[in-house]
Amino acid sequence: MTQQGAVLQGYNNELVKCIEDLCMQKEELNKQIQQAEEEKNKLQHEIQVLSEQLECVCENLAQKVASRNELDKILAETEAAYMKILDSSRTLLNVLKKEVGSLKHMPELKSN
């Protein structure tokens, strides 16, 4: 019977060691889970911050593009108006040259 008690005690010691090993594995796994959760929370926070920054940049970009488009429109209208002024100036100059040329052919101007 003593031999059976010793065998039983050996089994019990082995069982306790296995349970202790499992508990240590569980503790290690809990630490890894906690670290992973902390990393996940950190990354989620960074994503939120970056998303907010991206939204601000996108809004700013949209405003700048709208301003540029408005400037393009104003510039195109101004250039078109300026070309009309140049065309009118050329026409006026041509008319004035003809009038001056006509005046030179008048007899009153030739005698002076």
Side-chain angles (χ1 to χ4, degrees), residues 17-33:
K17 174 132 176 57
C18 286
I19 290 172
E20 287 174 352
D21 287 346
L22 288 174
C23 286
M24 287 178 22
Q25 287 178 6
K26 179 184 172 187
E27 286 178 28
E28 180 60 31
L29 192 55
N30 281 337
K31 286 180 188 177
Q32 292 174 3
I33 289 170

Side-chain angles (χ1 to χ4, degrees), residues 68-82:
R68 182 189 63 193
N69 291 343
E70 185 64 26
L71 287 174
D72 284 344
K73 178 183 169 188
I74 291 169
L75 184 60
E77 290 172 355
T78 303
E79 287 175 345
Y82 183 69

Side-chain angles (χ1 to χ4, degrees), residues 27-105:
E27 286 178 28
E28 180 60 31
L29 192 55
N30 281 337
K31 286 180 188 177
Q32 292 174 3
I33 289 170
Q34 184 178 359
Q35 289 174 344
E37 286 176 345
E38 288 172 1
E39 180 69 14
K40 180 187 106 176
N41 291 335
K42 176 185 166 195
L43 291 172
Q44 284 178 328
H45 178 71
E46 289 176 9
I47 288 170
Q48 181 181 356
V49 168
L50 289 173
S51 293
E52 290 170 4
Q53 289 176 348
L54 178 62
E55 185 177 338
C56 288
V57 168
C58 287
E59 288 175 7
N60 191 331
L61 178 62
Q63 290 173 351
K64 288 181 180 183
V65 168
S67 294
R68 182 189 63 193
N69 291 343
E70 185 64 26
L71 287 174
D72 284 344
K73 178 183 169 188
I74 291 169
L75 184 60
E77 290 172 355
T78 303
E79 287 175 345
Y82 183 69
M83 293 308 290
K84 287 181 182 179
I85 290 170
L86 287 178
D87 190 46
S88 295
S89 295
R90 183 177 57 241
T91 302
L92 177 61
L93 181 60
N94 288 338
V95 168
L96 185 60
K97 284 181 180 180
K98 283 183 184 178
E99 292 296 322
V100 168
S102 296
L103 288 175
K104 287 183 180 177
H105 295 307

